[in-house]
Amino acid sequence: MHRVLITGAGGGIGRSLRETLRGIYPVLRLSDRVPIAPARDKEELDQTDIADMGAVEKMVAGVDGIIHLGGISGENTWENILQGNIIGLYNVFEAARRAGVKRIVMATSNHAVGFYPRSQIIDHRVIPRPDSRYGVSKAFSEALASLYADKHGIGFLCTRIGNFGSKPIDSRRLSIWISPRDYTQLVRIGLEHSDIHFEIVYGVSGNKRSWYDNSNAYRLGYKPQDDSEPYAAEILAAEAGQAKDPIAERYQGGTFCAEEFTAKTPPD
Ligand code: 15L
């Protein structure tokens, strides 16, 4: 990997990877829809709306690998999801194919499978159960990645990210938190592992309270260094006695499941 492109480089995960991958690859190309902090040595800046195919073709020219974080990162209107996460995503994968890119690390999300109950441990083989339009777009991203792997030979690591941050922020995130250094490790596996065709892994730290069987990540060499457990007592004490939405509490996707929920009975 000589030149690695990060899309969505101005967002929280992008800004963090900009630092943790600095010096790991000879050139980082940093792209976002909005202006980002000025380029330093060994960095290239790009401003692209990924819904614009012409701009996307320029964005991917000359890159060896892509970390695709761009697009909409939470629930939104269908029109915005369509532009950013369906059309924009297609443009990135298709332009990558035309440019001969060999590897893509994709930021998919726990919300592609958010309607699995918290009582169930799920692995990378379960069928999608999206909890939102956003979650549907992430399930679409995994399907499109599978197509571009099988038909065009691009290697994909789809990372179903839980919640990225320096520490878990609430009780739900104790099960799905990922630290910056653990996510950096997963991204590097995605770009550098010698044998990746199409893989789904959970982008979570080694959390004791995890809802995921992340054996596929471990098979690829992932050794998480962090666990949310040291934060658990304080978070649980702070939430004790708080009123909670029963739908949000029942499912892994939390409030993404509860928003706009109109079914008479909660699904199994
Ligand atoms: C996501 O997929 C979002 O990108 C992030 O903002 C959080 O909402 C996260 O999921 C989560 O479930 O906590």
Side-chain angles (χ1 to χ4, degrees), residues 49-266:
D49 178 348
I50 57 173
D52 173 354
M53 182 52 137
V56 172
E57 284 184 323
K58 291 193 189 104
M59 174 183 81
V60 303
V63 309
D64 303 296
I66 300 176
I67 304 162
H68 184 52
L69 310 171
I72 304 291
S73 63
E75 184 59 317
N76 213 301
T77 62
W78 173 241
E79 187 51 32
N80 288 341
I81 296 281
L82 178 65
Q83 293 303 322
N85 293 11
I86 306 289
I87 295 171
L89 179 89
Y90 172 81
N91 288 346
V92 173
F93 288 6
E94 175 57 15
R97 179 191 72 76
R98 292 180 200 164
V101 175
K102 293 280 175 281
R103 256 325 147 78
I104 299 182
V105 176
M106 175 66 209
T108 169
S109 168
N110 72 91
H111 297 291
V113 289
F115 257 117
Y116 281 96
R118 296 185 184 188
S119 55
Q120 191 176 341
I121 301 289
I122 59 172
D123 70 9
H124 58 288
R125 284 178 287 236
V126 295
I127 60 166
R129 287 189 79 177
D131 57 22
S132 48
R133 292 174 288 280
Y134 166 67
V136 169
S137 75
K138 291 301 178 179
F140 171 81
S141 76
E142 295 172 2
L144 196 69
S146 177
L147 173 68
Y148 273 72
D150 285 343
K151 193 163 270 193
H152 305 300
I154 300 178
F156 279 90
L157 184 72
C158 294
T159 58
R160 280 185 184 157
I161 302 173
N163 191 262
F164 177 96
S166 55
K167 54 183 196 167
I169 51 176
D170 60 20
S171 58
R172 177 175 162 268
R173 272 58 173 247
L174 291 172
S175 298
I176 67 167
W177 173 62
I178 186 160
S179 66
R181 64 178 172 174
D182 283 345
Y183 193 58
T184 301
Q185 190 193 144
L186 264 184
V187 165
R188 290 195 61 184
I189 289 169
L191 292 175
E192 297 169 30
H193 194 287
S194 60
D195 185 20
I196 287 189
H197 175 67
F198 168 79
E199 301 291 348
I200 292 175
V201 297
Y202 288 92
V204 293
S205 284
N207 305 319
K208 182 174 160 229
R209 292 166 193 257
S210 182
W211 297 315
Y212 309 121
D213 166 355
N214 211 6
S215 50
N216 201 35
Y218 301 146
R219 185 184 63 79
L220 294 168
Y222 179 48
K223 291 188 178 60
Q225 292 178 273
D226 293 303
D227 179 346
S228 62
E229 206 49 26
Y231 303 97
E234 192 185 342
I235 286 175
L236 295 175
E239 286 185 19
Q242 273 179 14
K244 302 244 181 172
D245 182 305
I247 296 297
E249 284 303 293
R250 181 175 177 133
Y251 299 104
Q252 297 180 0
T255 55
F256 282 62
C257 299
E259 279 166 21
E260 305 175 41
F261 186 88
T262 59
K264 288 207 172 58
T265 49

